[in-house]
Amino acid sequence: PERILELAVGGSPLGGSPVPLLISNMSADFSVASPVVTISFNSRPGRIYAVDRTEDLLIWEELDDGLEGEGDSTEFVDSFLPEGSTVMFYRVRQVE
């Protein structure tokens, strides 16, 4: 039962600790009329994730809290950047 629980929360079938949730790639396209930021992060199918952003690392804005994992990697596109923003930070959280 302990081993099954370890696998259910992301443990490796080969042993060791679960793979941490990481943003693996980020790109921004400011050449279009409405700039977009694309975030890729490691994920698991069937898990639900939330994506947040902030300009100051103090006040976080939740962009989506129902993003379903698409496999080993999932993408999120932020196409509603605040006008005049020059710095933006993102985080991804597992919700379910």
Side-chain angles (χ1 to χ4, degrees):
E2 288 179 23
R3 183 70 182 127
I4 292 171
L5 181 59
E6 287 176 19
L7 291 170
V9 297
S12 168
L14 303 174
S17 60
V19 176
L21 181 58
L22 299 171
I23 293 176
S24 55
N25 191 32
M26 221 171 148
S27 63
D29 184 357
F30 294 101
S31 66
V32 292
S34 180
V36 297
V37 173
T38 303
I39 301 164
S40 298
F41 59 94
N42 64 323
S43 60
R44 298 189 57 206
R47 300 291 170 117
I48 305 297
Y49 300 91
V51 178
D52 309 318
R53 75 174 175 205
T54 182
E55 293 182 76
D56 59 11
L57 295 174
L58 298 173
I59 300 170
W60 289 87
E61 175 186 5
E62 186 175 80
L63 302 176
D64 191 338
D65 66 355
L67 189 60
E68 187 170 346
E70 301 169 351
D72 292 342
S73 181
T74 299
E75 275 192 357
F76 176 80
V77 177
D78 181 7
S79 57
F80 299 100
L81 295 173
E83 193 170 322
S85 295
T86 57
V87 175
M88 194 65 63
F89 299 94
Y90 292 87
R91 70 180 177 191
V92 178
R93 302 175 284 118
Q94 182 175 318
V95 180
E96 292 179 17

